[in-house]
Every structure is written in C-alpha cells, then in structure tokens.
C-alpha cells in the first residue's frame, strides 16, 4: 500500500505539472465530497482517495495508483445528472481498487529500474527512490496506456456495484456510455477512445444490475448541488489554449 500510494503521489504531482488543473475550491470540494462517498463503497484496500478537477472541456477522467483521480470539467458539463458523473468516478475508482494502474506502473518500473540501479541513482532509497529520480522517464502516460477490454469490463462492474451500494441509480453507467456513443464521430469524446464498444458494455452493466437485484425507485439520480456546480463550471472562463 505504501509503495502504491507513494508512487501515485509522485505521478499525481507530475500530472499536476503537465495538466491545466482547475484550481477552484468550490468545484474540487464538491468532487471530494462525491468521490469520498463513492470510495467508501469501493472494495479492496482503503486508499486515501483524492479527487481533483482538470480545466479541460473534453470528456475524460483517469485514476493513478493509490487512489489519485482527475476529472475534466468537460465531464461535469456533459453529465445530465449526478448519477452519471458518479458513474464516471465510480468506474475510475474501480480501476484504482483493482490496481490496474499499479499493474501498468509495475511494467514500466521493471523496464526502467535496472537502468536506474546500474546508474547508481537510487541513493539507497529503494523503489520510491528510483521512481522519484526516473519518474519522468516513465511518466503518467506510461501508466495510462489503454487498459485491456477485460480490465475495462471489471472496472465497469465494480463501478456499477459502487453506484448500487451508494444508493445511486446504477443505470447511469449504461446511460453515460450511450451518451458518449451518440456524441461519436470525428469529435468523439476522449473517454470514448480509451473506453471502446459502448453498446456491449452498456449491456454488461444492465446484466450486472439484474444480478444486484435490479433498479429501485428509491435510488438517487440527481441533486441540486450537482446542477448548481454544473451551471457554475459552465460559467467559468474557457481554459487557456
């Protein structure tokens, strides 16, 4: 756990340098409240999950090892309701909980570490020392390779379970896939390029909902807070070029 959290923190810091972070307390506080609520239902190790907005209008979100999640403002704007935003966040929490990013990072680390050790740059700090000093050599992009279809399916299932256990309408996961598919073509959302085959994935989500016991009228779909945040984000100045 310490390795994964430490590595994720290094990569989160790098991501903050490479991305246009949305340094807006109102938005980030909301993402933290929603994200922590969902993360409380995540399986596996209890990472110190962190959620941060990115000042990018494309529809995208990603998770780094150790529970560091980044959500583009475009995802907030594109979601019709809070359940759909929760579906995206729940899916990415699924990647963290299932250690998909850690597996990607391990492959990159094993490729780089021998060179770092031979170069004598570890300074006796072990794995995290190697990460800190050669992190730029296998940065965020080396972790965010396209996951396998099986990994995406697993994250879909865990995300659906998180929605269900949190009291959100789990159908929102399938709805968001269908929404992305409808916005395809030349201007397809970034999240769609790394999350292919939305139709079959929506069907898998529906099947999982039935296994969980089906939809209930008492499940939440939206909140006044989400709609207020969505309007607020849309009112913000356009991201710098």
């Amino acid at each position: 756990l310490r390795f994964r959290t430490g590595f994720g923190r290094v990569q989160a810091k790098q991501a903050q340098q490479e991305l246009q972070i949305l340094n807006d307390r109102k938005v980030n506080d909301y993402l933290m409240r929603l994200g922590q609520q969902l993360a409380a239902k995540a399986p596996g190790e209890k990472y110190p999950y962190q959620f941060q907005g990115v000042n990018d209008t494309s529809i995208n979100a990603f998770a780094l090892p150790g529970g560091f999640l980044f959500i583009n403002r475009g995802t907030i704007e594109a979601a019709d309701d809070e359940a759909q935003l929760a579906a995206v966040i729940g899916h990415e929490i699924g990647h963290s909980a299932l250690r998909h990013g850690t597996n990607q990072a391990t492959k990159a680390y094993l490729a780089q570490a021998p060179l770092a050790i031979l170069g004598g740059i570890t300074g006796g700090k072990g794995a995290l020392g190697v990460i800190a000093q050669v992190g730029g050599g296998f940065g965020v992009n080396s972790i965010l390779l396209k996951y396998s279809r099986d990994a995406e399916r697993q994250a879909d299932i865990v995300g659906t379970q998180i929605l269900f256990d949190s009291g959100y309408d789990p159908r929102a996961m399938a709805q968001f896939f269908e929404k992305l598919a409808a916005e395809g073509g030349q201007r397809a959302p970034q999240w769609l390029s790394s999350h292919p085959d939305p139709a079959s994935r929506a069907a898998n989500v529906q099947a999982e909902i039935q296994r969980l016991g089906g939809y209930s009228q008492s499940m939440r779909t939206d909140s006044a807070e989400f709609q207020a945040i969505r309007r607020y984000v849309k009112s913000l100045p356009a991201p710098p070029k």
Side-chain angles (χ1 to χ4, degrees):
L1 176 58
R2 179 179 176 273
F3 172 82
R4 287 189 286 275
T5 303
F7 179 77
R9 188 172 290 111
V10 170
Q11 294 303 307
K13 186 174 181 179
Q14 183 178 340
Q16 289 167 346
Q17 295 171 346
E18 295 177 358
L19 301 172
Q20 294 181 26
I21 296 299
L22 186 61
N23 292 311
D24 189 295
R25 184 172 180 177
K26 185 175 182 179
V27 177
N28 286 324
D29 283 353
Y30 168 75
L31 290 174
M32 279 292 291
R33 285 194 298 274
L34 177 59
Q36 293 288 358
Q37 177 186 347
L38 297 168
K41 302 298 183 181
E45 295 172 353
K46 300 304 179 184
Y47 297 117
Y49 282 95
Q50 301 290 317
F51 304 84
Q52 191 163 21
V54 179
N55 196 16
D56 189 323
T57 56
S58 64
I59 303 172
N60 200 26
F62 66 90
L64 294 174
F68 297 89
L69 278 76
F70 294 83
I71 301 99
N72 283 11
R73 64 181 280 187
T75 307
I76 300 173
E77 296 174 6
D80 294 325
D81 51 44
E82 189 169 71
Q84 288 187 7
L85 177 60
V88 175
I89 296 175
H91 174 93
E92 297 302 331
I93 290 174
H95 280 309
S96 283
L98 296 170
R99 299 187 293 179
H100 291 156
T102 302
N103 293 337
Q104 299 279 50
T106 300
K107 295 174 185 177
Y109 170 72
L110 291 175
Q112 295 283 342
L115 298 177
I117 294 170
L118 288 173
I121 66 171
T122 61
K125 297 180 181 179
L128 288 179
V130 175
I131 290 166
Q133 298 199 43
V134 303
F138 62 97
V140 175
N141 286 337
S142 66
I143 299 173
L144 301 179
L145 300 174
K146 287 185 178 180
Y147 292 122
S148 68
R149 287 182 180 270
D150 192 46
E152 293 294 358
R153 182 188 60 78
Q154 292 170 4
D156 290 345
I157 296 303
V158 171
T160 302
Q161 293 169 350
I162 288 173
L163 287 178
F164 188 93
D165 292 341
S166 300
Y168 282 102
D169 184 350
R171 298 178 302 175
M173 181 77 73
Q175 290 167 359
F176 199 75
F177 283 135
E178 292 164 353
K179 183 181 183 69
L180 293 183
E183 296 181 13
Q186 292 184 345
R187 297 185 61 189
Q190 187 175 354
W191 213 61
L192 185 60
S193 66
S194 58
H195 298 70
D197 200 11
S200 66
R201 295 177 69 180
N204 290 338
V205 167
Q206 295 288 5
E208 179 62 19
I209 293 171
Q210 293 305 311
R211 283 193 290 270
L212 291 170
Y215 165 74
S216 167
Q217 291 287 345
S218 63
M219 290 176 168
R220 290 178 290 167
T221 57
D222 205 5
S223 73
E225 185 179 20
F226 167 77
Q227 292 299 336
I229 286 291
R230 186 171 182 255
R231 288 192 299 269
Y232 174 72
V233 170
K234 286 188 171 184
S235 73
L236 294 176
K241 295 294 183 182

